[in-house]
């Protein structure tokens, strides 16, 4: 995604043209300005994430983030995002709605896993949802700061195991 | 801490005087400028955290963060921190050293817990350390964004339980 790769400031219209395969005219025919495009792309990202969550769970979203972080200017986008969240109430509201959708998708997936007998049943699903989201926030922050991430796969294995039902046999 | 409460920009010398109980003269006698003071206070914070880690573990540090987040302008400090990490190699090096100290304190504490038979022994201590640090990053990011945190206590219970030895009896 262009904004992740170059940061909000670096995502010039030229790069947006390359990234989306659309012409400048087409881009601004659909989107009033860069800000609207940023929101639309973020919305698109969120939908894709909710889709992966529904099929494979939030830990898989984290694994995908780990796999595709390469070369992305996460920090630029995150700084822009934080700044906007703090200063723009309308943006904050739209963002909160997106977060709620991801929460709902995660919760629904966990409920299905519980019904299938794959989930630990001694902890409330809401707590498990908040737990996975907190780890996701940590991962995003970690990647955004550009900290080394090559040792995080077994950490995500541990996270996944800690929401699963503990069994005597193979897990 | 003054920088956390008012953000880097908001931590005027007047507030620093109030917060530290030192006079302006005393402050700048000891610290070349506001930046040096920021680093010294951050260092102080890191030492206190390492101390809590040694005695009570990293999850307790997270519980303390949850308890004292009230009114702090976390985001301001975090944004300043992220910006500095990205643009100032010398600062990044000093910060990395501090992070290493916290990692070492966490690892040492976990090793003692393992010797005492309190820790799960099917996962490497380095993985458990990275896991706890990732959750801490998530928590700090969560608080910095000003997201609701009143439902996070049971999440931290889950985190604590997931590094402990699973036992048939009381945990």
């Amino acid at each position: 995604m262009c904004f992740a790769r170059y940061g909000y400031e670096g995502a010039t219209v030229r790069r947006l043209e390359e990234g989306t395969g659309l012409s400048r005219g087409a881009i601004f025919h659909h989107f009033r300005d860069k800000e609207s495009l940023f929101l639309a792309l973020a919305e698109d990202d969120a939908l894709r994430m909710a889709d992966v969550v529904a099929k494979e769970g939030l830990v898989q979203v984290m694994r995908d983030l780990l796999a595709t972080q390469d070369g992305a200017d996460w920090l630029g986008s995150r700084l822009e995002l934080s700044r906007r969240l703090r200063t723009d109430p309308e943006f904050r509201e739209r963002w909160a709605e997106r977060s709620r959708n991801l929460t709902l998708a995660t919760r629904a997936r966990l409920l299905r896993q519980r019904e299938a007998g794959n989930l630990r049943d001694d902890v409330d699903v809401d707590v498990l949802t908040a737990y996975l989201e907190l780890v996701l926030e940590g991962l995003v922050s970690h990647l955004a700061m550009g900290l080394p991430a090559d040792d995080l796969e077994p950490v995500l294995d541990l996270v996944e195991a800690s929401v699963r039902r503990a069994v005597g046999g193979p897990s």
Side-chain angles (χ1 to χ4, degrees), chain A:
Chain A
M1 177 188 157
C2 194
F3 284 107
R5 195 167 311 275
Y6 302 112
Y8 188 77
E9 292 311 323
T12 60
V13 172
R14 169 108 175 263
R15 281 169 174 164
L16 287 172
E17 288 179 304
E18 293 171 7
T20 60
L22 295 173
S23 73
R24 177 181 303 247
I27 289 174
F28 288 107
H29 179 72
H30 288 292
F31 302 103
R32 201 172 64 231
D33 47 29
K34 199 158 114 172
E35 178 172 316
S36 308
L37 182 56
F38 179 79
L39 275 167
L41 289 177
E43 200 140 53
D44 200 47
D45 263 14
L47 279 174
R48 247 197 320 265
M49 276 170 79
D51 201 45
V52 175
V53 166
K55 288 185 195 133
E56 306 172 82
L58 197 58
V59 175
Q60 189 56 45
V61 168
M62 298 186 215
R63 294 192 196 280
D64 291 350
L65 282 180
L66 257 194
T68 60
Q69 42 135 340
D70 204 43
D73 179 12
W74 275 86
L75 186 53
S77 299
R78 283 283 286 185
L79 288 179
E80 174 58 28
L81 178 60
S82 305
R83 227 177 271 125
R84 298 280 303 278
L85 284 174
R86 190 153 71 151
T87 57
D88 180 344
E90 197 196 322
F91 180 84
R92 191 160 56 232
E93 186 40 51
R94 291 185 65 177
W95 192 262
E97 199 181 317
R98 230 163 268 133
S99 303
R100 270 194 297 275
N101 287 338
L102 194 63
T103 301
L104 288 175
T106 302
R107 199 173 176 285
R109 155 94 185 173
L110 288 175
L111 282 171
R112 284 196 304 279
Q113 291 291 306
R114 175 160 288 178
E115 273 170 37
N118 298 328
L119 210 65
R120 64 189 296 165
D121 50 16
D122 58 338
V123 178
D124 195 274
V125 163
D126 289 329
V127 174
L128 295 177
T129 304
Y131 166 71
L132 290 180
E133 290 185 320
L134 197 65
V135 177
L136 173 65
E137 287 180 85
L139 181 63
V140 169
S141 170
H142 190 94
L143 296 176
M145 293 249 191
L147 298 172
D150 38 301
D151 57 347
L152 289 181
E153 290 248 14
V155 172
L156 295 186
D157 293 340
L158 172 58
V159 170
E160 190 152 45
S162 56
V163 301
R164 288 240 180 98
R165 173 190 293 279
V167 283
S171 64

